[in-house]
Amino acid sequence: MATSIRRRTGRKAALHLAMYVLCLLSAYVLGFYSRNFLVEFAKALDPTVEFKLLTTKKRSSSSLPERWESYSFDQIYDHYECKAQAEDKSKPIPSLAQWLFLRKQYKEFVDDTITFDDPIPPTMGYSYDESHNTPPFYAKLDPERGRGLYASRNIKRLEVVHHWSGHDVTFPDAYAFRQFVFSLPKRMACDVVDWA
């Protein structure tokens, strides 16, 4: 009995570790963690493994469009060619790693004092009430229609299903919004522009 409990506990711990490592790698790909951090993490798991770091190009300020600081909303939309993405029915729902990256960029470029402490993961929505229930809808990718919101229960006529809850982010000025958007990869930038 004790052996089977230890075996199940060991499998569960290995599964949690594997999920954690996968999340770390996904976050690294999106720029959330540095390569050095991941190497140190891997060395802590197995000090016998040697790693060679490959050099990669960093995004330079020359990759920003000229006069980006004064771009209008429409100019940002055109710069990133967001119309094509807006019409793309196969674009996926943002992953947890993408949400974490967006939060990291917001903290870095807009408000380093903000805390994202909602116990509901952003992939599941947000705390709709004090009991931390999610809203009565969820995001899903429909192969024919693309991204959409679907009811997770029956919704009564005139029922409020979304309200300002403190989970939306704000920008103190247009410059902060531009800094944030231009810090993102193209697809994420287009999502933010679509959501704004």
Side-chain angles (χ1 to χ4, degrees):
M1 178 77 171
T3 305
S4 69
I5 290 173
R6 269 189 253 125
R7 194 174 299 136
R8 276 185 276 150
T9 305
R11 285 187 198 138
K12 192 173 184 180
L15 179 62
H16 282 281
L17 178 62
M19 289 175 18
Y20 181 70
V21 168
L22 182 62
C23 197
L24 277 175
L25 290 173
S26 299
Y28 163 71
V29 168
L30 292 168
F32 193 70
Y33 293 113
S34 70
R35 289 179 293 162
N36 291 338
F37 173 82
L38 288 179
V39 167
E40 292 304 316
F41 177 77
K43 283 181 182 176
L45 291 176
D46 187 355
T48 63
V49 177
E50 288 189 31
F51 295 91
K52 289 183 180 177
L53 291 178
L54 301 174
T55 58
T56 56
K57 283 185 180 179
K58 292 209 177 225
R59 181 177 171 174
S60 68
S61 59
S62 63
S63 66
L64 292 171
E66 194 173 316
R67 293 189 221 139
W68 66 271
E69 300 95 338
S70 61
Y71 264 36
S72 70
F73 190 85
D74 290 336
Q75 286 172 310
I76 294 171
Y77 192 83
D78 292 342
H79 170 75
Y80 281 114
E81 300 169 339
C82 293
K83 183 174 173 130
Q85 182 176 326
E87 295 169 355
D88 179 5
K89 304 249 186 273
S90 67
K91 65 183 171 189
I93 303 294
S95 67
L96 180 58
Q98 289 169 321
W99 281 112
L100 293 175
F101 179 75
L102 285 169
R103 288 176 172 185
K104 174 192 162 288
Q105 295 303 93
Y106 185 85
K107 283 182 78 99
E108 182 175 337
F109 291 98
V110 181
D111 181 3
D112 62 353
T113 64
I114 193 168
T115 58
F116 297 103
D117 53 4
D118 190 341
I120 304 293
T123 52
M124 294 176 58
Y126 55 89
S127 292
Y128 185 67
D129 54 27
E130 283 79 35
S131 300
H132 301 295
N133 292 313
T134 58
F137 55 82
Y138 61 96
K140 182 176 118 179
L141 182 65
D142 181 278
E144 293 177 18
R145 296 184 181 137
R147 291 177 179 174
L149 290 178
Y150 294 82
S152 55
R153 62 168 173 76
N154 288 335
I155 297 173
K156 297 174 188 155
R157 186 171 184 261
L158 300 176
E159 178 182 356
V160 175
V161 296
H162 174 75
H163 56 85
W164 165 255
S165 58
H167 303 288
D168 298 322
V169 294
T170 57
F171 296 88
D173 52 41
Y175 182 78
F177 176 77
R178 290 184 200 106
Q179 272 192 303
F180 174 69
V181 170
F182 281 112
S183 77
L184 303 173
K186 178 181 177 175
R187 290 188 75 91
M188 281 187 175
C190 287
D191 277 341
V192 169
V193 170
D194 280 343
W195 299 334

